[in-house]
Structures are given as structure tokens and as C-alpha cells.
Amino acid sequence: MTSGKIEEIKLQAGKDLDCVKSLQELELFRIKYLGKNGLLTELLKSLRNIDPSQRPAFGQAVNLAKKEIESKLTEKKVEFENQVLTKKLSEKEIDITLPGKRIPRGKKHPITVVMEDLVKIFRRLGFDIAEGPDVETEYYNFEALNIPKYHPSRDMWATFWLENGLLLRTHTSPVQIRIMEKKEPPLAFVVPGRVYRRDDDITHSAVFHQLEGLMVDLDITFGNLKGVLTAFLHAVFGKDKKVRFRPSYFPFTEPSAEVDVECSSCNGKGCRLCKNTGWLEILGAGMVDPNVFGYVDIDPEKYSGFAFGLGVERIAMIKYGIDDIRLFYENDLKFLRQF
Ligand code: PHE
């Protein structure tokens, strides 16, 4: 064995490689030279037959030749792969006139849309946004709102009671207390949130949404309440609609009012939606009761305020002409896609 043999193989490999025309042929080339019984592999196996003194030099020379052939092979392989890719790309033209596949997109739930619209109106009027927990204590949901235990007005809210005196809030009014405990007047907040009552028919759901409002400052009067809520109702239902304030009762406001807007379906003439009254009842409201200020250490001699609450589902039902509240919660896509 001599290094001449190595040179000979290298030379032959160079010639062979020049003749290789495809990836398949390249694989045959690899097997011929570098495979288990390949020419170079055989050469390495013959190492044991040569003079021990020459083995290291010979071994090195064979390995070097092997590396050279390997790197040429890789080069060739990349070349072929690029050729194949270029060919594929030129053959498979993309037809950009074909219509694409439409991916169905989700949308906001109508209740979310209406809630956001209502909040936006109050933001324009200078109100900030606050939130509170769905699981409340008796103190925040009732007591601090001037509704003592065993007071008959507790029956206004059919309550889901939890363990340890906790409950699912029956209205967003407890957040009034949480705001006033933490912050000093002037205050102007709206509170969007989910509320819970043991109610269930075509216009009442056990879970629904309210928007609460609270404004406290020096010299806040019932006139401010009327002004803000009239502006709000005009923004929702249109400036042409009449608004009326009827005396009512809530334990946490004094005086209290129920606020109606002229029926948007019949313009006050009387129809099914307004039960022939010509009016739609939208809001509960009133001046914050001095007893409530007492619970949160705000001086009722110095400050006054008003509060209001409304049901978001009710407004959405009126706005979209929906007569069954359950449609909002069934998640029927045929219903939801209409908004
Ligand atoms: N919390 C009352 C309700 O749910 C609504 C309300 C809020 C009334 C604020 C007056 C003032 O019925």
C-alpha cells in the first residue's frame, strides 16, 4: 500500500463526482467511496497489513482524503437540493386569483357592546370607572347601604347566600361604599359589573349586569342628578325623547326616583314594549342618604351626592328589540352574529 493508491482514489472520486447528475446518483457515489465497504473504508481496513512505522502517516492521509471527498459530496448535495427546490417553485405557480379561506372571527357579546357604550357616555361626562368583587359581605351589600338585618326592604333583592355570611352581590351599589371608604370627595364614578338574584323568567336572569353611578362633592343637588341622567338618556335613546322622574324608594337614597324615558318603540303612544304606558323604566336613582355617608365617614353637613343604577340587559333588549333575556346567555351563534 502506498500513498499513490490514495491519490488514485481521490482522482477517480473527482471524476466520478463530475458525472453525478442526481441525488440518487450521489448516494451511489457515497456508498462507493464512503460506505461500509467503500474504497476509502477498505483502505483504512488495510492499515493492519502495512508496516507499523508507516501506519500513522498512512492513516492520517486516508482520513484527510475521506474528509475532502465528504466535503465535496456535501457541496454537491446542497447544489442538487437547490436545483430541486427551484424546479418545484417554478412548476408550482401560486394562483393568487383563487379566493382565500375565510377564518371566522369572534365578536364582542351584545351585552359587552352595550356596557361599553354606556360607560363611554359617562366617561365623556367626566366619570371614572371602578369595580368591586362579585362575592360580597352582608355589610357592603346591605348594612352600609342603610339596609339593616330584618329590614323588610331586604326583600327587594332575592339573595343567593353563600357560607360564612357571604353572598353574591345583588346589585353594584356595594361598590359605592368601597369607593367612599377609600377616596375623598370630589367623586364621580361608574361601576360596571355582574350581579346575582334568585330570579328567572323571560325578562329576569339570575345573573345579569348593572351599571352603578356615584357623584359626591360640595353642593351636589337633585338638579345635578336630573341633568346628568337626562344627558345620559338623551345620548342613549336620542335627544328628542322625553325623560321623567317618578318618586320611588331605595334605602340608600333619599329622596329616591325612578327614571323613565319615552318609549323608543312607539314614541309614547303606547305599545307592547312599554305595556301601553308610553314610558320605559330605565334607572333607579336618588340623593345619597346621610346614613350611608355615616358608614364611610363623609360629613353629610359638608358633602352631598347622588347615585343611580341601571340594568344593562334591559337597555340591550330595548335597543335591539329582544323580548327574551335568555337569548343573551344561550350562546346561539345565529343570535350572536346579528350584532
Ligand atoms: N341598587 C339599586 C338596585 O339594584 C339601584 C339603585 C342604585 C338605586 C343607586 C338608587 C341608587 O335596584
Side-chain angles (χ1 to χ4, degrees):
M1 286 294 164
T2 61
S3 51
K5 180 81 180 156
I6 300 175
E7 284 309 312
E8 196 184 300
I9 291 177
K10 260 168 54 174
L11 214 70
Q12 186 58 43
K15 280 185 199 157
D16 280 0
L17 200 59
D18 283 341
C19 300
V20 166
K21 291 209 177 52
S22 66
L23 277 170
Q24 288 89 331
E25 283 178 30
L26 194 65
E27 178 60 8
L28 294 177
F29 171 86
R30 189 191 64 78
I31 293 166
K32 177 171 175 189
Y33 290 93
L34 306 168
K36 236 195 246 160
N37 301 311
L39 291 173
L40 281 168
T41 320
E42 290 298 327
L43 217 52
L44 275 177
K45 281 185 200 159
S46 70
L47 216 54
R48 63 181 111 95
N49 300 329
I50 63 171
D51 191 307
S53 68
Q54 287 174 24
R55 273 182 207 169
F58 184 75
Q60 264 177 17
V62 176
N63 275 327
L64 202 71
K66 202 173 151 191
K67 278 215 181 91
E68 266 175 49
I69 292 174
E70 269 169 359
S71 86
K72 276 190 188 145
L73 186 138
T74 312
E75 234 172 72
K76 204 69 174 184
K77 196 171 168 197
V78 171
E79 201 183 303
F80 280 134
E81 280 170 351
N82 282 339
Q83 271 175 20
V84 170
L85 188 68
T86 317
K87 191 155 169 255
K88 251 194 203 161
L89 284 175
S90 68
E91 278 169 0
K92 274 200 187 170
E93 251 182 81
I94 295 168
D95 182 356
I96 56 167
T97 65
L98 276 176
K101 278 197 192 119
R102 263 183 210 290
I103 299 165
R105 285 232 247 156
K107 277 199 217 171
K108 282 181 185 168
H109 191 278
I111 295 300
T112 306
V113 173
V114 171
M115 181 71 99
E116 286 178 356
D117 285 350
L118 303 183
V119 168
K120 218 183 275 169
I121 294 169
F122 282 107
R123 292 207 63 123
R124 283 206 293 272
L125 293 169
F127 284 75
D128 230 322
I129 300 170
E131 283 180 317
D134 289 22
V135 173
E136 268 296 6
T137 62
E138 215 175 327
Y139 177 80
Y140 285 106
N141 197 80
F142 290 124
E143 220 154 297
L145 288 165
N146 199 32
I147 318 170
K149 234 182 193 144
Y150 309 117
H151 192 280
S153 72
R154 280 208 182 186
D155 293 346
M156 288 168 78
W157 299 277
T159 309
F160 283 111
W161 289 94
L162 306 173
E163 279 162 23
N164 310 321
L166 294 174
L167 51 85
L168 294 175
R169 65 178 177 191
T170 57
H171 49 181
T172 39
S173 300
V175 189
Q176 285 187 35
I177 305 300
R178 292 182 177 274
I179 293 168
M180 290 190 283
E181 269 181 349
K182 278 201 210 89
K183 293 186 159 72
E184 303 269 304
L187 302 170
F189 281 94
V190 284
V191 181
R194 201 169 271 176
V195 301
Y196 306 82
R197 290 186 197 171
R198 292 174 40 189
D199 259 344
D200 191 4
D201 60 41
I202 69 163
T203 56
H204 294 87
S205 157
V207 183
F208 62 106
H209 298 79
Q210 283 190 334
L211 186 67
E212 185 88 10
L214 175 70
M215 180 175 269
V216 182
D217 200 352
L218 304 166
D219 303 321
I220 296 287
T221 67
F222 202 89
N224 296 122
L225 178 158
K226 285 183 79 174
V228 166
L229 295 183
T230 303
F232 166 71
L233 290 171
H234 280 165
V236 178
F237 295 100
K239 273 203 183 346
D240 57 315
K241 295 281 176 303
K242 287 192 196 113
V243 172
R244 81 177 179 186
F245 294 75
R246 271 184 299 117
S248 186
Y249 170 76
F250 295 102
F252 33 89
T253 48
E254 181 60 34
S256 302
E258 218 126 350
V259 191
D260 303 343
V261 71
E262 206 178 352
C263 181
S264 53
S265 171
C266 62
N267 289 321
K269 284 189 209 67
C271 67
R272 209 164 69 101
L273 181 65
C274 59
K275 296 191 184 104
N276 277 316
T277 63
W279 295 94
L280 298 169
E281 200 180 303
I282 305 292
L283 291 134
M287 303 306 291
V288 179
D289 193 294
N291 286 346
V292 173
F293 281 143
Y295 279 100
V296 291
D297 275 331
I298 288 180
D299 181 0
E301 298 294 325
K302 187 174 171 194
Y303 290 107
S304 54
F306 66 81
F308 57 87
L310 61 85
V312 179
E313 276 78 352
R314 173 150 171 81
I315 293 195
M317 288 170 81
I318 294 168
K319 211 175 143 175
Y320 297 124
I322 294 161
D323 54 14
D324 188 341
I325 198 170
R326 288 169 292 201
L327 287 165
F328 289 126
Y329 313 111
E330 282 165 358
N331 287 334
D332 178 347
L333 287 177
K334 273 189 273 170
F335 171 76
L336 293 175
R337 285 204 177 112
Q338 297 174 55
F339 301 96

